[in-house]
């Protein structure tokens, strides 16, 4: 194994080396973790030389799994008492990525890893896994160091271990005051860079993509106090057949900066107690909706996997032997015996989606107001993939009782009912008091903090089939399909859901300006955003047009409408060099960034440098209106790190493969459809504008001329005795041979 060899240091006397040295010397830190110390002659040396001069006398914890490298490391620093060396694996084997995950990353994201054949990369993965298996070292190194040294959060961490464990390592150290990433242009820290960059709690201090495989340094904007001083949160979910939406929750929870635990109660709840009301509608529990009392859609296996990946944060509760729960009230009671601390108890149903920012804001709201006992929220209630309820105090958003989701829990509190949810506390005289009636946050309070979750209640056909049986909603699936076929909104929900009796109205997500957390890609697969998109007007917009003159002139037709919608935004056009002069006189554009297309495609250094130039703009929004997208347009729109990325769903005309297009689609926050295989380009542009909420009846090509241009044209027509109104110009040429017509000029 290559891990049995001592290798030269990589971070040595370069920009990153001296930055590590400076941070270690000057920052107020106590604990430093270096993941991947090797033999100690590179980044370890930078840490040690800096920490030696730090008046706070920090301790450096070094991790290295290679035994010969560890031996050199320990020998090198045996006289430095503040250096603690550990021969461990940073994370267990079950936290390593699969070969499929590596292959998908390799084929969809172009990084320095692509300088090597995929087979060799997968061979490195096999080698690392085999070494961990055969080395007999502890495999939970980060957790081991935390336990032995009573550390909740490290002050500074360098992630530079195995190529394949960076994502799992970041999970273990999230919340550190400083997080240093090496190899951000590789699998190791590519996603970590983007995650920290999009985290409002972290600030990017320094980065350089051109130093080896790139590095970055992030600092947390505010220090985390001791974990024991932070109000913990216990989330709970009762679920039967929670696919696909249940996958969203753990991706959000694991990014939270406070202590959390997820209690999941799975299985069939008998139609008793709170849910007995459905019997009068013909509700029934059939074999089609469960498998031996548990889920039959893959939820059971997914939850089992979560307990393996997060054993300290996830607890599953199930009945044995195929038994049903005695109503949903028994389900919600199940976790309480395991909650032995004062905390926030937060109900998160399988189809109720929150963002990281929202959960942080809700937690902060309770932390700052210790007298508050519960919280009510509004929700965006989905009745289709792109349809939401828009009325309040109607079905889905009755403010008299919906949606009570958070309680300040104390051990001894008990559930009295589930529908409606009543968590009660026993008073001194023995009376049980509903906690939500004591001093709750009301809807106006939570809405002020943008705490409106997204409820995907009627979005998939399996959901409707389940509700037909379990709740007795007759013909629910058929009626729901009729709703999905509507083209004119708003509509009354009662016209489609007969169990709805009030004036609930439905409209499109787009009409409400809602950024859906759950979105389907063109393969029909669901994907989820974990962050909150900006709701205010973006300060900076990248307008991506990587095409040539003809298509650019057609695309000009959109710019006036874009400027009208985003009046206060700075619009930067990204285009080829020879197209730039067409934009220079446009009154709707603030800046133009140009590139050489050939160099962009062939020269990685040129491409990285240009992309880095665009990143410095810190755009809030990128608009990629090219219908026949190509990898280059997606690099410009996505890898420049705008907070929100919107594109046309497009076609395969300029993409190497359908699979690669699907992968690229997943990096966008929103894809706008332009249906019909054949359609004029200007109509595609109308579709794009409509997707942005700009509905225009007609678009026409436009071009902006200078006085010199006008003068030249006048002289040209005069010289050749031409009438401009009766003249037609033919441009007999094109970039691509397939577009050339051989018979121009023939009579």
């Amino acid at each position: 194994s290559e891990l049995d060899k001592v290798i030269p240091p990589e971070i040595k006397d370069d920009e990153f080396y001296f930055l590590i040295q400076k941070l270690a010397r000057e920052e107020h830190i106590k604990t430093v973790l270096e993941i991947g110390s090797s033999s100690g002659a590179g980044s370890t040396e930078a840490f040690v030389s800096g920490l030696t001069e730090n008046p706070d006398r920090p301790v450096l914890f070094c991790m290295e799994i290679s035994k010969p490298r560890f031996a050199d490391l320990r020998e090198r620093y045996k006289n430095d008492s503040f250096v603690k060396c550990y021969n461990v694996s940073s994370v267990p084997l079950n936290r390593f990525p699969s070969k499929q995950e590596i292959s998908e990353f390799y084929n969809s994201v172009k990084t320095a890893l692509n300088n090597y054949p995929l087979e060799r990369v997968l061979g490195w993965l096999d080698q690392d896994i085999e070494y961990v298996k055969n080395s007999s070292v502890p495999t939970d190194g980060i957790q081991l160091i935390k336990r032995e040294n009573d550390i909740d959060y490290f002050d500074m961490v360098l992630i530079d271990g195995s190529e394949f464990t960076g994502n799992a390592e970041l999970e273990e150290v999230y919340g550190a005051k400083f997080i240093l990433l090496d190899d951000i242009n590789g699998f190791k820290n590519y996603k970590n860079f983007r995650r920290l960059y999009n985290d409002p709690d972290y600030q990017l201090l320094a980065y350089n993509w051109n130093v080896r495989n790139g590095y970055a340094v992030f600092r947390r904007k505010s220090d985390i106090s001791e974990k024991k001083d932070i109000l913990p949160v216990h989330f709970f979910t009762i679920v039967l057949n929670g696919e696909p939406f249940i996958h969203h929750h753990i991706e959000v929870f694991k990014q939270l900066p406070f202590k959390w635990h997820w209690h999941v109660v799975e299985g069939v709840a008998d139609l008793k107690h709170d849910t007995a009301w459905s019997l009068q509608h013909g509700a029934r529990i059939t074999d089609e909706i469960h498998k031996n009392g548990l889920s039959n859609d893959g939820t059971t296996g997914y939850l089992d996997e979560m307990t393996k990946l997060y054993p300290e944060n996830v607890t599953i509760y199930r009945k044995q032997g195929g038994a049903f729960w005695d109503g949903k009230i028994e389900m919600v009671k199940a976790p309480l015996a395991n909650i032995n601390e004062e905390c926030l108890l937060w109900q998160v149903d399988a189809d109720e989606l929150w963002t990281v920012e929202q959960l942080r804001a809700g937690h902060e709201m309770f932390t700052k107001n210790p007298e508050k006992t519960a919280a009510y929220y509004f929700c965006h209630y989905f009745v289709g993939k792109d349809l939401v309820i828009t009325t309040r105090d109607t079905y889905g958003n009755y403010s008299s009782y919906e949606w009570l989701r958070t309680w300040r829990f104390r051990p001894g509190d008990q559930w009295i009912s589930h529908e409606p949810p009543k968590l009660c506390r026993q008073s001194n005289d023995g009376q049980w008091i509903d906690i939500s009636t004591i001093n709750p946050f009301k809807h106006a309070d939570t809405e002020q903090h943008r705490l409106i979750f997204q409820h995907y209640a009627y979005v998939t056909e399996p959901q409707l089939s389940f509700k037909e049986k379990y709740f007795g909603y007759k013909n629910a699936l058929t009626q729901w399909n009729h709703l999905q076929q509507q083209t004119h909104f708003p509509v009354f929900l009662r016209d489609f859901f007969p169990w709805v009796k009030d004036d609930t109205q439905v409209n499109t997500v787009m009409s409400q300006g809602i950024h859906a957390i759950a979105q389907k890609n063109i393969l029909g697969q669901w994907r989820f955003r974990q962050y909150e998109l900006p709701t205010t007007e973006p300060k900076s917009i990248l307008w991506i047009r990587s095409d040539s003159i003809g298509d650019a002139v057609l695309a000009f037709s959109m710019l006036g409408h874009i400027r009208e919608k985003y009046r206060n935004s700075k619009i930067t056009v990204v285009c080829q060099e020879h197209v730039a002069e067409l934009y220079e006189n446009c009154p709707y554009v603030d800046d133009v960034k140009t590139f050489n297309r050939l160099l962009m495609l062939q020269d990685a250094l040129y491409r990285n440098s240009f992309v880095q130039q665009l990143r410095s703009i810190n755009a809030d929004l990128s608009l990629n209106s090219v219908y026949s997208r190509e990898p280059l347009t997606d690099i410009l729109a996505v890898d420049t790190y705008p907070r929100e990325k919107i594109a046309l769903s497009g076609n395969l005309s300029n993409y190497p493969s359908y699979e690669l297009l699907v992968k690229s689609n997943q990096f966008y926050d929103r894809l706008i459809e332009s249906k019909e295989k054949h359609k004029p380009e200007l109509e595609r542009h109308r579709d794009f504008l409509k997707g942005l909420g700009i509905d225009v009846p007609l678009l026409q090509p436009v071009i902006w001329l200078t006085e010199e241009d006008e003068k030249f044209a006048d002289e040209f027509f005069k010289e050749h005795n031409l009438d401009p109104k009766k003249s037609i110009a033919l441009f007999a040429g094109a970039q691509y041979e397939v577009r050339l017509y051989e018979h121009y000029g023939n009579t």
Side-chain angles (χ1 to χ4, degrees):
S1 171
E2 294 180 25
L3 288 166
D4 284 323
K5 302 174 184 176
V6 176
I7 58 175
E10 294 183 350
I11 304 174
K12 181 71 171 180
D13 294 334
D14 61 16
E15 180 181 311
F16 193 29
Y17 176 97
F18 294 115
L19 181 56
I20 291 172
Q21 193 177 58
K22 174 180 173 65
L23 292 170
R25 180 175 60 250
E26 298 178 0
E27 297 298 336
H28 294 296
I29 51 178
K30 285 290 188 180
T31 56
V32 180
L33 175 66
E34 183 186 40
I35 304 173
S37 298
S38 193
S39 58
S43 55
T44 317
E45 180 181 273
F47 274 120
V48 171
S49 61
L51 295 175
T52 301
E53 302 178 40
N54 191 312
D56 292 331
R57 303 174 64 84
V59 176
L60 173 64
F61 300 96
C62 299
M63 301 175 59
E64 176 55 48
I65 190 170
S66 165
K67 292 188 179 297
R69 298 173 197 172
F70 175 77
D72 282 7
L73 172 71
R74 183 171 53 185
E75 177 65 23
R76 185 184 300 270
Y77 297 108
K78 64 182 180 181
N79 295 323
D80 295 296
S81 59
F82 67 92
V83 180
K84 312 293 183 183
C85 301
Y86 285 78
N87 186 205
V88 293
S89 172
S90 59
V91 293
L93 283 171
N94 63 6
R95 303 290 298 278
F96 277 67
S98 65
K99 286 189 175 182
Q100 179 180 353
E101 185 178 348
I102 297 299
S103 299
E104 289 177 352
F105 177 87
Y106 183 94
N107 291 323
S108 62
V109 182
K110 299 305 178 185
T111 67
L113 209 58
N114 293 92
N115 293 329
Y116 306 92
L118 177 59
E119 293 73 16
R120 185 174 180 185
V121 174
L122 296 178
W124 292 337
L125 175 63
D126 288 335
Q127 175 183 257
D128 284 7
I129 290 174
E130 283 303 310
Y131 199 91
V132 174
K133 286 181 178 178
N134 299 326
S135 62
S136 301
V137 301
T139 59
D140 62 341
I142 298 176
Q143 288 296 328
L144 174 67
I145 294 173
K146 284 184 174 182
R147 290 195 302 269
E148 289 188 355
N149 299 277
D150 194 25
I151 296 172
D152 288 329
Y153 297 97
F154 294 98
D155 289 322
M156 184 176 291
V157 177
L158 169 64
I159 299 179
D160 188 26
S162 165
E163 176 68 23
F164 309 103
T165 54
N167 295 335
E169 289 160 354
L170 182 60
E171 299 293 349
E172 300 291 344
V173 303
Y174 222 91
K177 189 175 182 180
F178 292 90
I179 298 180
L180 288 61
L181 306 176
D182 196 33
D183 298 319
I184 57 177
N185 191 25
F187 183 83
K188 183 189 299 181
N189 279 315
Y190 182 89
K191 291 182 180 178
N192 289 344
F193 179 90
R194 282 148 182 78
R195 177 175 170 184
L196 289 166
Y197 185 86
N198 285 313
D199 189 335
D201 281 352
Y202 276 96
Q203 175 187 2
L204 179 60
L205 291 184
Y207 71 107
N208 192 332
W209 289 82
N210 298 317
V211 173
R212 291 171 293 99
N213 292 329
Y215 78 85
V217 176
F218 291 88
R219 175 170 58 193
R220 188 174 178 84
K221 294 179 181 178
S222 58
D223 292 342
I224 292 183
S225 60
E226 289 291 328
K227 185 184 285 188
K228 62 175 181 272
D229 296 330
I230 298 178
L231 181 66
V233 177
H234 285 257
F235 300 102
F236 73 95
T237 302
I238 64 174
V239 62
L240 176 68
N241 298 328
E243 294 282 340
F245 305 109
I246 197 168
H247 288 258
H248 170 75
H249 301 328
I250 197 70
E251 298 303 321
V252 169
F253 296 160
K254 69 186 184 182
Q255 298 183 54
L256 298 174
F258 45 78
K259 178 183 175 182
W260 61 270
H261 198 97
W262 188 23
H263 304 266
V264 187
V265 190
E266 187 197 7
V268 178
D270 213 343
L271 297 171
K272 297 179 178 179
H273 311 302
D274 299 334
T275 319
W277 60 266
S278 61
L279 292 172
Q280 61 184 318
H281 300 293
R284 63 202 188 280
I285 298 174
T286 67
D287 292 342
E288 300 147 282
I289 66 173
H290 71 96
K291 180 180 181 181
N292 199 29
L294 299 177
S295 304
N296 60 9
D297 68 340
T299 297
T300 301
Y302 170 74
L303 293 176
D304 288 341
E305 184 65 20
M306 290 303 98
T307 59
K308 293 177 183 177
L309 292 176
Y310 307 98
E312 296 182 0
N313 294 91
V314 179
T315 302
I316 309 299
Y317 305 80
R318 293 172 176 138
K319 285 284 190 178
Q320 300 299 312
F324 294 175
W325 292 91
D326 186 27
K328 292 184 179 179
I329 184 64
E330 186 187 18
M331 298 182 80
V332 297
K333 285 181 176 180
L336 298 189
N338 289 331
I339 305 177
N340 301 310
E341 59 186 346
E342 183 170 341
C343 65
L344 292 183
L345 187 62
W346 203 312
Q347 179 176 341
V348 179
D349 286 357
D351 56 6
E352 297 176 359
L353 308 189
W354 301 76
T355 65
V356 176
E357 289 88 348
Q358 286 177 324
L359 295 182
R360 286 174 172 169
H363 179 268
E364 182 180 2
M365 194 171 62
F366 274 96
T367 301
K368 291 182 176 179
N369 298 274
E371 75 283 0
K372 292 294 185 180
T373 58
Y376 287 88
Y377 307 92
F378 285 121
C379 76
H380 295 307
Y381 198 97
F382 282 69
V383 290
K385 179 174 68 72
D386 301 309
L387 300 177
V388 291
I389 290 172
T390 59
T391 47
R392 288 183 175 174
D393 283 315
T394 59
Y395 185 86
N397 265 319
Y398 279 110
S399 59
S400 58
Y401 62 90
E402 292 173 329
W403 296 89
L404 179 57
R405 282 296 179 262
T406 315
W407 299 261
R408 191 182 292 272
F409 175 85
R410 294 177 187 170
D413 294 345
Q414 293 294 327
W415 289 107
I416 303 302
S417 70
H418 174 65
E419 297 181 22
K422 288 186 178 181
L423 183 70
C424 295
R425 181 171 300 154
Q426 196 167 28
S427 64
N428 293 333
D429 60 2
Q431 298 295 314
W432 287 95
I433 302 172
D434 184 347
I435 295 172
S436 68
T437 65
I438 300 174
N439 189 7
F441 286 110
K442 296 297 183 66
H443 296 83
D445 303 316
T446 54
E447 185 173 21
Q448 183 181 353
H449 291 83
R450 296 168 58 193
L451 297 179
I452 303 176
F453 65 91
Q454 296 187 7
H455 194 169
Y456 289 78
Y458 294 89
V459 177
T460 69
E461 291 192 359
Q463 285 179 314
L464 274 296
S465 296
F466 176 84
K467 287 177 168 66
E468 273 193 9
K469 300 176 180 68
Y470 190 78
F471 294 118
Y473 291 158
K474 188 177 180 180
N475 297 325
L477 179 56
T478 301
Q479 294 295 98
W480 176 80
N481 278 319
H482 289 164
L483 175 60
Q484 308 313 303
Q485 294 165 9
Q486 299 306 301
T487 57
H488 298 288
F489 294 94
V491 297
F492 286 108
L493 187 58
R494 62 172 181 251
D495 293 338
F496 303 91
F497 289 0
W499 58 91
V500 176
K501 306 299 182 182
D502 58 26
D503 292 334
T504 305
Q505 290 191 20
V506 175
N507 210 323
T508 63
V509 170
M510 187 187 306
S511 72
Q512 304 304 300
I514 297 170
H515 298 290
I517 294 174
Q519 299 173 333
K520 263 189 175 182
N521 62 25
I522 58 178
L523 278 181
Q525 301 166 328
W526 287 94
R527 66 187 186 94
F528 306 96
R529 288 190 296 105
Q530 283 85 51
Y531 55 88
E532 186 73 34
L533 292 176
T535 58
T536 57
E537 182 174 333
K539 295 179 181 178
S540 178
I541 298 174
L542 290 181
W543 176 255
I544 309 298
R545 295 300 306 191
S546 60
D547 39 22
S548 276
I549 295 173
D551 288 322
V553 170
L554 295 177
F556 291 164
S557 61
M558 292 183 279
L559 280 172
H561 302 289
I562 295 293
R563 168 54 72 200
E564 179 66 22
K565 180 176 177 66
Y566 303 108
R567 294 185 179 184
N568 300 312
S569 301
K570 178 181 178 180
I571 298 178
T572 299
V573 170
V574 182
C575 66
Q576 294 189 58
E577 292 171 336
H578 69 282
V579 184
E581 63 179 307
L582 297 175
Y583 285 100
E584 289 173 356
N585 299 306
C586 174
Y588 311 125
V589 170
D590 299 291
D591 195 10
V592 180
K593 300 293 183 184
T594 67
F595 61 88
N596 181 296
R597 179 179 174 82
L598 187 61
L599 288 176
M600 284 289 284
L601 294 174
Q602 296 182 351
D603 189 331
L605 287 177
Y606 177 88
R607 182 170 59 251
N608 289 340
S609 177
F610 183 70
V611 169
Q612 188 166 329
Q613 178 186 354
L614 296 183
R615 287 173 184 155
S616 66
I617 295 174
N618 294 319
D620 297 304
L621 173 65
S622 70
L623 298 175
N624 183 0
S625 60
V626 178
Y627 179 70
S628 297
R629 289 171 19 225
E630 59 178 335
L632 177 57
T633 61
D634 289 336
I635 288 172
L636 295 172
V638 173
D639 282 4
T640 46
Y641 305 149
R643 283 296 304 274
E644 185 179 6
K645 301 164 285 292
I646 300 175
L648 279 168
S649 57
N651 61 16
L652 274 173
S653 297
N654 295 323
Y655 241 88
S657 71
Y658 179 70
E659 292 73 21
L660 188 54
L661 177 62
V662 171
K663 292 295 182 185
S664 296
N665 285 342
Q666 295 176 358
F667 290 102
Y668 284 95
D669 299 294
R670 185 146 58 95
L671 292 173
I672 296 172
E673 294 287 344
S674 179
K675 298 180 179 179
E676 301 173 26
K677 185 175 181 180
H678 301 291
K679 182 183 267 189
E681 194 74 7
L682 289 172
E683 290 302 302
R684 302 281 187 208
H685 296 335
R686 283 187 64 213
D687 290 340
F688 186 76
L689 291 178
K690 190 173 182 179
L692 299 176
I694 306 170
D695 201 350
V696 296
L698 181 69
L699 289 177
Q700 291 287 352
V702 63
I703 194 168
W704 301 276
L705 303 175
T706 64
E707 291 184 7
E708 290 78 8
D709 295 330
E710 299 280 2
K711 181 179 180 181
F712 173 83
D714 289 340
E715 292 176 351
F716 178 87
F717 284 111
K718 183 177 181 180
E719 178 183 349
H720 295 280
N721 196 27
L722 297 172
D723 182 352
K725 296 181 180 180
K726 297 181 179 180
S727 300
I728 297 175
L730 296 179
F731 296 86
Q735 288 191 68
Y736 302 103
E737 188 172 347
V738 70
R739 296 181 178 179
L740 294 177
Y741 179 63
E742 299 175 353
H743 305 294
Y744 270 117
N746 292 351
T747 58

